[in-house]
Amino acid sequence: MKVNAVLVDISVMAEEGWAYLERICGLLPDLGVIVCTSDGTVSQRVRGLRMGADDWINKPCHPEEAIARIEAVARRRRRVRNDSQKGPLVVGEIEIRVDQYQAMIGGESLDLTRREFELLQLLAENEGSVLEREQIYQRVWGLSLIHISEPTRRT
């Protein structure tokens, strides 16, 4: 059995939680990581995402939402694995090696977060096409936007 994603509560591990998150993201780059914890500040969420977490959920959360986020992360992981068999993606001066989560310009590696890499990959794969905001959110973040209709103006 291959595990595609894991849900981690770093607050349960107290001070060791951040070290655990860093280790798991570093040692298992193909594993999707979702952090679910209480009282996460913006700076903590940003720190976790930059360490390699794919998503962050604040507790309490609904179990269906947690499952949907795990499924979204696993879907993105499968897509990346399938794309890695195609070889490097080259657009202009940028070379993207999907299987290694690496992007290069002129042979020099770019320092990108996972989300930045996935966004760059999406844009490169759709070179010359216009992407809707909804498409970008769905493909990179696994989120579906709620469309709110604007009130009609009376003149």
Side-chain angles (χ1 to χ4, degrees), residues 17-18 21 37 41 47-48 52 73-74 76 90 106 111 117 121 129 150:
W18 288 105
L21 180 62
T37 191
T41 65
R47 179 181 176 194
V73 167
R76 285 195 304 270
V90 179
D111 184 27
F117 178 84
Q121 178 188 359
S129 300
E150 295 184 25

Side-chain angles (χ1 to χ4, degrees), residues 45-59:
R45 290 191 303 267
V46 168
R47 179 181 176 194
L49 293 169
R50 286 191 173 149
M51 285 178 136
D54 293 285
D55 203 353
W56 188 288
I57 308 171
N58 284 328
K59 291 192 312 189

Side-chain angles (χ1 to χ4, degrees), residues 50-96:
R50 286 191 173 149
M51 285 178 136
D54 293 285
D55 203 353
W56 188 288
I57 308 171
N58 284 328
K59 291 192 312 189
C61 67
H62 195 279
E64 286 183 51
E65 180 184 1
I67 291 169
R69 288 177 182 265
I70 291 168
E71 290 169 345
V73 167
R75 253 192 328 271
R76 285 195 304 270
R77 295 295 173 167
R78 278 192 302 273
R79 193 169 38 244
V80 167
R81 273 194 300 277
N82 292 338
D83 290 346
S84 68
Q85 298 168 356
K86 298 176 187 174
L89 174 62
V90 179
V91 177
E93 295 181 29
I94 300 174
E95 179 181 338
I96 301 171

